[in-house]
Amino acid sequence: MNIHEYQAKQLFESAGVSVPKGTVAQTKEQIETALSSFPSDQSVVVKAQIHAGGRGKGTFTNGFKGGVHVVSSRTEAISKAENMLGNVLVTKQTGEEGKEVGTVYFTEASDIDKEFYLAILMDRATSKPVVIASTEGGVDIEEVAETNPEKITKILIDPALGIRPYQSRQVAFSLGLSGDSFKQCVKLVSKLYDFFWNKDCSQVEVNPLVLTPTGDVLALDAKVNFDSNALFRHPDVVELRDLSEEDPKEVEASKYDLNYIALDGNVACMVNGAGLAMATMDIIKHYGGSPANFLDVGGGANEEQVENAFRILVSDDAVKAILVNIFGGIMKCDVIATGIVNAARKLEMKVPLVVRLEGTNVEQGKKILADSGLALEPADSLAEAAQKIVQLAGQ
Amino acid sequence: MSVLVNKDTRLVVQGITGSAGSFHTIQCMEYGTNVVAGVTPGKGGQKFQDSVPVFDTVQDAVDKEGANVAAIYVPPPFAADSILEAIDAEIPLVIAITEGIPVKDMAEVKARLANSNTRLIGPNCPGIITPGECKIGIMPGYIHKPGKVGIVSRSGTLTYEAVWQITSAGHGQSTCIGIGGDPINGTSHLDAVQLFNEDPQTEAIILIGEIGGTAEEEAAAFIKEYVDKPCAAFIAGRTAPPGRRMGHAGAIVSGGKGTAEAKVEALLDAGISVAETPSHMAEALFKVWNP
């Protein structure tokens, strides 16, 4: 689960990780109040809040350029904020539709002496948390990994022990810090790790982590992602979810425990099992089609779930055909077939359906489909099903 | 011979009285698996299906019934704890079916496993089956047939596709190991391949993988160096968009790493026959295996 920068910074502050002061506005009326926290002559950064990067270089659909502005007067700040709120920002990471800006974040402009990179995530190879630090902050870390990998320090943390003081010191030493800045950095790294661990984050990224001319160490940006599997034990984090940042079909699907991800093709699919669902998308592409979505109905392919799934699939106007691929193990194929037929009838579905069933009672299942009188084609193998569906979608 | 489980397996089911645990245990018992005990804390003393004793602790199941394999159908908030309990009771093989265990909990379990005598399979997996002898998990037993193909897979239903293709072609499986879809798990493709390589009954191996992580690449490197048995593979997720979790917690292309293309390249480089589509997994195997 993603959250906005301003939410991440609020969480950092509560966790004792130093951030510059910041306030938010979600309506035009709130802008002045939000700005009143800063002395009128102080430089302020006005930042559009969306769940995507590249905001600085982005453009709004109303023509206004840039989702991040440093301003030196209150009037300027108000003007920039008014141009952002309620408008759609398009960046390299949003896709051409862009994202609507519901919140603007104001933060004191920090003088910067040095920019570093600091992140914590779970290292898959070792199954341990890893702290990643680099003197090359404020740039794309993946580029640094390509060109100057020696400038990246990686420190593995023992999950049973947590971060040891000497490891936080290792980070601060690797960034070339000394004196009070060194101490601040050690404290920040340690608190950031505690935050990462206690809140079940999948990743926290501070880019840049800055050293100010007065020797302070602050997190100037904050990207936090949470492990969805752990949300059940963090109701306060769940509160931070911004549904407007998610595809409405995906939000709808999650209500019914359906695992759905929207893509941009026109052949929809409904499958039981994530691996098989991915493989079904792949085989559609293999035969020249374009998958409209990923959808795993899991072990619950009963009539109600099928109906919920169909409803979401047909709500996508781009969908020209639907491929159902169910390998019924415990679930019997005749039960699944009945569910499909009833759901399709109830929803008065007009979109062509290809249904490929395999597993227990497959012959009975196929008969139910054949006798249904619906625009429904059965298929025996997944290859046959994929070829049929691509052909139907093309018509 | 098969690997890990057979007719001598003595299974304890943790979470036996829950809805998933009870349903699947009955299915496994009908298949012929020797379920010797169940564990549900607080329900010790009960009998499951009038025959299987239920205990409060895993240690009791080991002491009183000689359980040597554990299957875990415990909900996500408590599943890691159940795994740790089985490890402390020194159960040599633990199969965690549960999907949705927090990653942090699994990092702690993995650290504990390193100092133990336990092998973990899963979590978020369909289980393990040696056809004709022992089924532990949620897979449909009837599609399997005793035979010579070892299968290791991150996905459940995709495995059933491969199994069904092999069985329909008149061949069978030695053991099918579902290693699960989570980013941190107990047994990797490489671990399974090592077992299959040493198993006299296994003549050929199918690896089924997906985007995320580098497990398939590691297995491929091992196969290139040390495995003479014919191998085939399929990788799901070529069309998955980067940065999205595709159902499985571990199925994600992150920072350009873990792509299907990279895995396929590594597998091909190791001389493994890679299926173009999920419908052609058995065919890919028969290209390199003449049984």
Side-chain angles (χ1 to χ4, degrees):
Chain A
M1 193 194 104
N2 278 330
I3 56 173
H4 290 288
E5 176 198 1
Y6 78 90
Q7 294 169 315
K9 289 208 171 137
Q10 283 166 352
L11 290 174
F12 277 10
E13 205 167 9
S14 311
V17 176
S18 303
V19 293
K21 181 156 88 153
T23 57
V24 296
Q26 291 177 324
T27 65
K28 297 216 155 115
E29 294 69 41
Q30 291 175 356
I31 294 175
E32 284 221 44
T33 324
L35 284 167
S36 63
S37 303
F38 304 95
S40 50
D41 58 347
Q42 181 179 36
S43 281
V44 163
V45 191
V46 181
K47 302 175 107 174
Q49 298 293 283
I50 56 172
H51 284 183
R55 293 168 291 162
K57 298 195 176 135
T59 311
F60 286 84
T61 52
N62 63 2
F64 183 69
K65 285 197 181 6
V68 177
H69 289 267
V70 184
V71 300
S72 45
S73 79
R74 197 162 280 180
T75 348
E76 254 196 286
I78 294 172
S79 156
K80 301 288 184 203
E82 282 180 349
N83 267 299
M84 293 182 187
L85 258 184
N87 291 318
V88 174
L89 177 60
V90 179
T91 79
K92 265 195 190 154
Q93 293 181 22
T94 61
E96 1 171 288
E97 346 60 77
K99 283 182 190 276
E100 188 178 312
V101 176
T103 306
V104 174
Y105 182 52
F106 303 102
T107 174
E108 51 190 6
S110 308
D111 289 322
I112 298 174
D113 184 17
K114 293 207 169 92
E115 289 183 307
F116 306 124
Y117 178 93
L118 178 64
I120 306 177
L121 47 105
M122 201 62 84
D123 178 49
R124 264 179 102 139
T126 56
S127 303
K128 292 180 176 167
V130 59
V131 177
I132 301 178
S134 175
T135 48
E136 311 308 296
V139 294
D140 184 351
I141 194 68
E142 271 135 44
E143 272 187 47
V144 179
E146 292 268 314
T147 54
N148 295 83
E150 75 288 353
K151 295 209 169 150
I152 297 182
T153 304
K154 290 189 181 176
I155 299 168
L156 290 171
I157 311 293
D158 185 326
L161 301 176
I163 195 166
R164 311 309 296 163
Y166 83 87
Q167 292 173 312
S168 305
R169 294 199 298 272
Q170 233 179 310
V171 174
F173 283 131
S174 78
L175 298 179
L177 297 170
S178 59
D180 185 62
S181 313
F182 174 87
K183 290 196 188 129
Q184 283 191 32
C185 180
V186 170
K187 180 174 167 214
L188 188 148
V189 170
S190 169
K191 296 271 182 197
L192 192 68
Y193 180 86
D194 288 344
F195 169 77
F196 165 85
W197 189 252
N198 294 336
K199 289 284 193 211
D200 280 294
C201 296
S202 49
Q203 175 169 308
V204 300
E205 189 184 52
V206 180
N207 190 18
L209 174 73
V210 302
L211 174 69
T212 68
T214 49
D216 288 322
V217 177
L218 304 170
L220 211 66
D221 195 7
K223 267 205 198 87
V224 176
N225 209 305
F226 297 95
D227 177 13
S228 322
N229 282 356
L231 291 175
F232 70 84
R233 55 190 185 202
H234 298 285
D236 55 328
V237 169
V238 176
E239 298 263 297
L240 303 177
R241 191 174 173 197
D242 185 346
L243 291 175
S244 71
E245 289 279 342
E246 299 177 35
D247 183 309
K249 300 190 287 298
E250 295 181 19
V251 174
E252 182 70 11
S254 68
K255 287 194 200 146
Y256 303 109
D257 276 329
L258 292 166
N259 231 313
Y260 171 90
I261 291 174
L263 301 171
D264 49 23
N266 61 6
V267 178
C269 52
M270 183 175 104
V271 186
N272 65 329
L276 189 58
M278 279 191 274
T280 303
M281 283 163 37
D282 295 346
I283 200 174
I284 288 170
K285 185 96 190 273
H286 179 83
Y287 286 113
S290 182
N293 68 281
F294 165 94
L295 174 52
D296 173 13
V297 298
N302 59 36
E303 189 177 321
E304 200 192 323
Q305 281 295 66
V306 171
E307 195 189 310
N308 293 329
F310 275 162
R311 229 179 331 104
I312 291 167
L313 293 180
V314 301
S315 75
D316 181 350
D317 292 325
V319 168
K320 290 259 173 58
I322 300 179
L323 168 56
V324 176
N325 179 22
I326 305 270
F327 199 113
I330 310 295
M331 289 241 55
K332 303 191 181 72
C333 290
D334 51 343
V335 172
I336 296 164
T338 307
I340 291 171
V341 166
N342 289 348
R345 260 204 204 110
K346 188 164 171 196
L347 296 172
E348 293 177 337
M349 282 179 48
K350 302 286 187 287
V351 174
L353 263 183
V354 170
V355 181
R356 184 263 180 160
L357 297 178
E358 189 56 87
T360 325
N361 291 0
V362 61
E363 292 310 319
Q364 292 95 309
K366 284 188 193 169
K367 184 158 194 316
I368 289 170
L369 295 175
D371 294 345
S372 68
L374 294 170
L376 206 160
E377 276 202 53
D380 283 326
S381 76
L382 183 48
E384 188 197 329
Q387 287 168 297
K388 275 191 182 176
I389 200 71
V390 170
Q391 198 193 22
L392 286 169
Q395 286 165 3
Chain B
M1 282 249 68
S2 73
V3 306
L4 299 177
V5 299
N6 55 36
K7 55 180 165 32
D8 298 326
T9 294
R10 300 177 64 78
L11 180 68
V12 52
V13 177
Q14 293 172 256
I16 196 171
T17 54
S19 67
S22 53
F23 179 83
H24 291 293
T25 300
I26 293 169
Q27 299 275 316
C28 291
M29 286 167 73
E30 282 173 11
Y31 191 81
T33 305
N34 188 13
V35 180
V36 303
V39 172
T40 297
K43 300 213 169 141
Q46 289 181 13
K47 274 250 160 78
F48 176 74
Q49 295 290 99
D50 289 328
S51 61
V52 178
V54 179
F55 297 100
D56 285 324
T57 70
V58 178
Q59 192 63 59
D60 281 339
V62 171
D63 292 340
K64 306 207 169 120
E65 296 295 336
N68 57 19
V69 176
I72 294 179
Y73 297 88
V74 172
F78 319 109
D81 180 65
S82 299
I83 301 173
L84 292 171
E85 187 185 345
I87 294 171
D88 283 350
E90 296 193 76
I91 298 224
L93 180 66
V94 175
I95 297 136
I97 308 295
T98 308
E99 174 167 22
I101 302 180
V103 174
K104 171 174 132 183
D105 293 4
M106 282 313 301
E108 290 176 324
V109 166
K110 195 88 195 250
R112 172 69 184 99
L113 274 170
N115 302 324
S116 76
N117 298 319
T118 298
R119 175 189 295 277
L120 171 69
I121 296 181
N124 187 13
C125 77
I128 180 172
I129 179 170
T130 290
E133 295 192 44
C134 182
K135 170 177 118 89
I136 300 177
I138 64 176
M139 67 286 282
Y142 79 93
I143 60 173
H144 300 77
K145 195 174 124 160
K148 306 184 174 143
V149 180
I151 302 183
V152 50
S153 170
R154 283 163 69 179
S155 154
T157 41
L158 200 42
T159 314
Y160 311 159
E161 289 279 342
V163 167
W164 193 230
Q165 287 168 30
I166 297 284
T167 300
S168 305
H171 295 285
Q173 306 84 32
S174 52
T175 300
C176 302
I177 306 176
I179 60 176
D182 275 6
I184 296 181
N185 58 31
T187 294
S188 64
H189 284 102
L190 170 53
D191 294 327
V193 166
Q194 285 175 307
L195 290 170
F196 287 136
N197 201 28
E198 267 138 56
D199 172 40
Q201 184 181 335
T202 301
E203 280 185 24
I205 303 168
I206 297 182
L207 293 90
I208 302 173
E210 56 198 43
I211 51 168
T214 52
E216 294 86 350
E217 290 91 322
E218 286 157 35
F222 179 82
I223 289 170
K224 188 171 182 178
E225 215 55 43
Y226 301 108
V227 178
D228 289 326
K229 296 181 183 180
C231 298
F234 174 72
I235 302 293
R238 281 193 220 228
T239 51
R244 301 299 308 266
R245 225 175 85 148
M246 306 304 289
H248 285 156
I252 176 168
V253 172
S254 258
K257 301 250 165 48
T259 63
E261 289 71 31
K263 291 168 190 302
V264 170
E265 205 183 302
L267 293 162
L268 289 172
D269 181 64
I272 297 166
S273 174
V274 178
E276 275 297 304
T277 83
S279 285
H280 298 95
M281 290 186 277
E283 191 182 291
L285 185 64
F286 297 137
K287 280 193 184 141
V288 292
W289 180 48
N290 204 352

